[in-house]
Amino acid sequence: LSKGRKFSSKTLSQTLFIHQTLTDVRLDQNLNVAEHLNTGHDLFLAITTDRPKGCPSLVMSHGGVSGIEGFVGDDLNVLKVPLNYAEGVTEEMITILSERFALDRKQLTAILQGLFTFYKASDATLIEINPLIRESESSRLIYASFKISIDDAASKRQNQIFSLRDKSQEMTVELEAEKHGLVYNQLEGNIGCLVNGAGLAMATNDAVAEYGGRCANFLDGGGQATKETMVKAFELILSDKRVNRILVNIYGGKFSQHVRLGTNLAVGQKVIAESGLKLLAEDDLESAVKKAIQFAGPSRPSPGAIFSKATASSGSSTLDSQKPATSNALATMAYGTQIIGGVSPSIHSFGPHPSPSLSHLPAVPTLRIAISSFPFKPHATAVFVLALHAASAILEAIEAEIPLIVSVAKHVPLHDMFRVQAALRSQSASRLVGPNCPGIIGPAAKCRIGIMPHLQYRARCVGIVSKSGTLSYEAVGATKKVGLGQSLCIGVGGEMLPATNLREILKALLRDEATKGIIGGEAEIEAAEFLKEWDREAVRKGGKRKPVVGMITGRTAPKGRVMGHAGAVADGIPTASDKIKALEDAGVTIAVHPGEIGHLMRALLEREGLIPVEEEQRKDR
């Protein structure tokens, strides 16, 4: 007992450094005591997410790994079993595992069924037992170490679990950001960054590193930049005494006249010039980054200028007096898209839309009633409901056999998406794009299903696909700046389980005759393999390959840290470098930052003779 006291007092007085917190320090305040075990054989057991298959996966192996991230590729010593979300662990799986690892069937059954029940009930994204010990004398199976990750998106329905959160072990500035819907990660540089959209934020941080600077933070202000969130974002950045310059890269939003300028580029630049503040506006990312680095310098001088990247996004504004879905519908109809009606559970029967501005359209409580009541069946539906209700709305659309479903909801719980994925696999009538995506837009057809700032799009020949909404807007702006336009733009979505993957969208764009070149933001290795296969087949048939420009974000992400929904865990496999190499091997031209995308695509289209040079040089002002 005295030895225990001496050891614990020494341990609890120590400071714990872990790579996830960088230079920040966490005091080790808890000491856990466990019984001594006579280990005989160590096993690894986990329930995790199989992204390609869109379902949970059970993983088991003999001991010797540091965790789920320790598995590389198709390791023959590791057994991976996809799980049907509705069925869970089956008798067949238990038989395979018990025989493969020589385990007592009764014990293993109790463990696996109990784990999967808890996995579903708790909205877990990962359950890891490492090691699972089989005692040498009794053959008991014991959880020696247990790790669980719970989906943040399900926090509202997992109140009991989230009440256990120890915020004393988290950074104050990051907790404050979370209260206001911001994602903030403290880094080690001296240039503060304020960006809306995780993908664009990561791309901005990468661009600063590319030109020799160091960011003090990763800050995602969300897809909608409002005055309130921007004020809080500035407060958070300015609370860091290391920051001497701030780089603002905001795409559209209500606060746009002060920073990114949105639809009023000239007016916004005039406001900045006459403000008397130390503000400089730049019209492209590269110039803004270089000037921020130049003035920031290697050490911290007195507080300096704020550099903003100003881009004319020509996006539509959300009307404060109306609900977002209503104002979005009005903007979509003004763009030229035919909307035939609305659906809302708050409506009790068929009748005029309750919003005065949309009263000329019918509204119904369910899609099933809509199909029977409207003059013709809709080709598509846009789901604008909140994340916790999104799955129900999507499932209703699948049941109604709507051909195309687009969901813009952000942070739909993972377990809700398991149910959606299962429903999608069981039929062939409906396709879902999203969730957490900006949607789909075809400029030539004036068809907009989603929330894209539609006025900046121009009908032409470049197809764009991206997980990040704001990064796709950057690609649109970059192509337009060099005189190009877009054939079709599709947002895959930034969630863990997007319903339509990059490979499927690439196939559609490669088949589309109007698309002569493709820009893929945050492309993946699977897409690289697909492009190789496609190009080989095109050459075999005597055709031409379409030029593809890709961009991988996350090259500068610190090890072990996830930077927003689009961030890369640098310890993960494959890394950003792995993805870049795979894409380059597949003939994809890689852009270092969004500002390069348009110029690279222009050069490729010229080289391949896919557009006349003289036409290309007529820039759209």
Side-chain angles (χ1 to χ4, degrees):
L1 186 61
S2 61
K3 287 183 179 179
R5 288 198 186 98
K6 183 178 180 181
F7 176 78
S8 61
S9 61
K10 182 179 179 181
T11 302
L12 292 173
S13 66
Q14 297 298 310
T15 302
L16 177 65
F17 294 88
I18 55 177
H19 65 260
Q20 287 94 336
T21 59
L22 297 176
T23 57
D24 199 58
V25 174
R26 295 289 180 268
L27 297 178
D28 189 352
Q29 299 175 353
N30 298 287
L31 180 68
N32 299 317
V33 180
E35 66 174 301
H36 176 73
L37 299 173
N38 295 315
T39 61
H41 184 61
D42 290 358
L43 296 163
F44 176 91
L45 175 62
I47 299 178
T48 184
T49 302
D50 189 326
R51 292 193 184 196
K53 292 184 173 64
C55 65
S57 181
L58 193 149
V59 182
M60 196 167 189
S61 79
H62 295 287
V65 297
S66 58
I68 193 71
E69 66 276 3
F71 295 117
V72 182
D74 297 322
D75 191 332
L76 297 177
N77 295 315
V78 179
L79 188 61
K80 301 177 182 178
V81 184
L83 298 173
N84 180 299
Y85 189 72
E87 294 179 0
V89 180
T90 64
E91 291 295 323
E92 182 183 1
M93 292 178 194
I94 293 170
T95 298
I96 293 171
L97 292 168
S98 61
E99 291 179 356
R100 171 77 174 269
F101 296 98
L103 299 173
D104 177 73
R105 183 184 178 89
K106 184 177 180 181
Q107 287 190 76
L108 185 61
T109 299
I111 288 173
L112 294 181
Q113 291 182 346
L115 283 180
F116 191 71
T117 298
F118 179 71
Y119 176 79
K120 291 181 71 171
S122 63
D123 278 288
T125 58
L126 170 69
I127 293 179
E128 180 182 300
I129 302 172
N130 185 28
L132 173 66
I133 292 176
R134 183 177 60 193
E135 276 196 312
S136 55
E137 295 179 2
S138 66
S139 294
R140 267 196 317 164
L141 292 176
I142 303 171
Y143 300 175
S145 179
F146 187 93
K147 173 183 176 181
I148 180 170
S149 297
I150 307 296
D151 188 1
D152 288 339
S155 60
K156 290 184 178 179
R157 66 187 184 204
Q158 296 294 343
N159 293 328
Q160 185 176 1
I161 293 176
F162 277 84
S163 68
L164 302 174
R165 181 179 177 185
D166 183 2
K167 294 184 178 181
S168 68
Q169 299 299 301
E170 300 181 55
M171 299 182 68
T172 303
V173 66
E174 295 181 5
L175 290 171
E176 182 64 20
E178 184 182 306
K179 291 179 185 177
H180 299 273
L182 302 168
V183 178
Y184 184 100
N185 297 101
Q186 188 166 312
L187 304 176
E188 295 182 303
N190 61 347
I191 298 174
C193 289
L194 197 169
V195 190
N196 63 331
L200 185 56
M202 182 62 74
T204 303
N205 282 32
D206 287 347
V208 171
E210 176 68 21
Y211 291 108
R214 301 179 75 196
C215 293
N217 63 276
F218 166 94
L219 198 157
D220 171 15
Q224 295 284 336
T226 67
K227 177 180 178 181
E228 292 73 23
T229 57
M230 293 301 99
V231 169
K232 174 50 67 173
F234 275 115
E235 289 177 358
L236 294 170
I237 294 172
L238 293 171
S239 69
D240 186 345
K241 295 181 179 180
R242 301 168 306 159
V243 172
N244 54 49
R245 292 297 182 272
I246 301 175
L247 174 62
V248 182
N249 188 8
I250 298 295
Y251 209 98
K254 297 179 186 176
F255 193 51
S256 57
Q257 69 271 25
H258 299 298
V259 194
R260 183 66 185 269
L261 310 182
T263 58
N264 299 307
L265 178 59
V267 175
Q269 287 177 330
K270 184 173 184 292
V271 170
I272 288 176
E274 296 175 354
S275 68
L277 300 174
K278 295 180 180 180
L279 303 173
L280 293 179
E282 296 292 332
D283 62 2
D284 67 87
L285 179 61
E286 184 175 338
S287 298
V289 167
K290 287 181 176 179
K291 286 190 177 180
I293 294 170
Q294 175 189 347
F295 284 91
S299 59
R300 185 181 184 276
S302 58
I306 297 175
F307 292 90
S308 61
K309 183 189 171 216
T311 297
S313 67
S314 300
S316 62
S317 300
T318 298
L319 303 178
D320 293 336
S321 60
Q322 296 169 327
K323 293 181 179 180
T326 299
S327 59
N328 186 76
L330 290 170
T332 298
M333 288 189 293
Y335 182 58
T337 305
Q338 184 181 9
I339 295 179
I340 62 173
V343 176
S344 173
S346 62
I347 299 169
H348 301 295
S349 61
F350 181 92
H353 196 285
S355 172
S357 55
L358 295 175
S359 59
H360 61 289
L361 294 175
V364 292
T366 69
L367 272 173
R368 184 174 293 278
I369 296 176
I371 290 173
S372 63
S373 304
F374 291 172
F376 49 85
K377 182 178 177 180
H379 296 102
T381 182
V383 178
F384 289 100
V385 300
L386 297 176
L388 285 178
H389 305 290
S392 296
I394 293 168
L395 290 170
E396 181 186 353
I398 295 171
E399 184 180 348
E401 297 187 341
I402 306 297
L404 179 61
I405 307 162
V406 175
S407 174
V408 304
K410 187 175 182 179
H411 301 319
V412 176
L414 176 65
H415 286 250
D416 289 358
M417 284 307 299
F418 282 145
R419 295 189 290 114
V420 169
Q421 291 275 5
L424 289 168
R425 288 192 295 268
S426 69
Q427 53 82 58
S428 58
S430 300
R431 172 177 293 280
L432 170 65
V433 174
N436 193 7
C437 77
I440 301 173
I441 190 166
K446 296 292 184 182
C447 181
R448 175 198 192 226
I449 310 171
I451 57 173
M452 289 95 155
H454 59 280
L455 295 180
Q456 71 158 334
Y457 291 79
R458 174 193 181 202
R460 212 69 176 277
C461 65
V462 179
I464 297 175
V465 54
S466 177
K467 288 194 295 186
S468 166
T470 49
L471 202 53
S472 71
Y473 306 158
E474 282 280 354
V476 171
T479 52
K480 186 177 178 182
K481 189 174 182 180
V482 298
L484 290 170
Q486 306 79 41
S487 55
L488 184 64
C489 301
I490 303 175
V492 178
E495 300 294 280
M496 186 180 289
L497 293 180
T500 298
N501 61 40
L502 187 64
R503 179 183 181 127
E504 294 170 307
I505 295 175
L506 281 174
K507 183 183 289 186
L509 293 174
L510 288 165
R511 287 176 173 171
D512 179 31
E513 292 183 2
T515 299
K516 298 179 180 179
I518 299 171
I519 294 172
E522 301 175 295
E524 304 291 346
I525 283 183
E526 183 187 3
E529 294 301 319
F530 170 72
L531 287 170
K532 280 184 180 180
E533 296 171 11
W534 185 276
D535 288 346
R536 280 195 294 264
E537 185 65 15
V539 172
R540 188 183 69 79
K541 293 180 178 179
K544 275 189 173 184
R545 67 179 299 276
K546 291 185 179 182
V548 179
V549 174
M551 195 179 79
I552 298 293
T553 62
R555 301 189 310 276
T556 59
K559 286 187 175 183
R561 303 194 78 186
V562 178
M563 317 299 280
H565 72 78
V569 180
D571 284 340
I573 297 172
T575 64
S577 297
D578 294 331
K579 295 177 183 180
I580 290 171
K581 184 179 185 307
L583 288 164
E584 288 179 335
D585 289 345
V588 177
T589 301
I590 300 298
V592 174
H593 60 77
E596 292 185 342
I597 289 174
H599 296 288
L600 289 173
M601 179 53 70
R602 171 183 174 175
L604 290 171
L605 290 171
E606 282 186 6
R607 189 186 70 187
E608 297 294 328
L610 293 171
I611 55 171
V613 175
E614 61 273 15
E615 177 188 354
E616 175 61 22
Q617 291 174 343
R618 292 202 302 268
K619 297 186 179 180
D620 177 28
R621 298 296 182 182

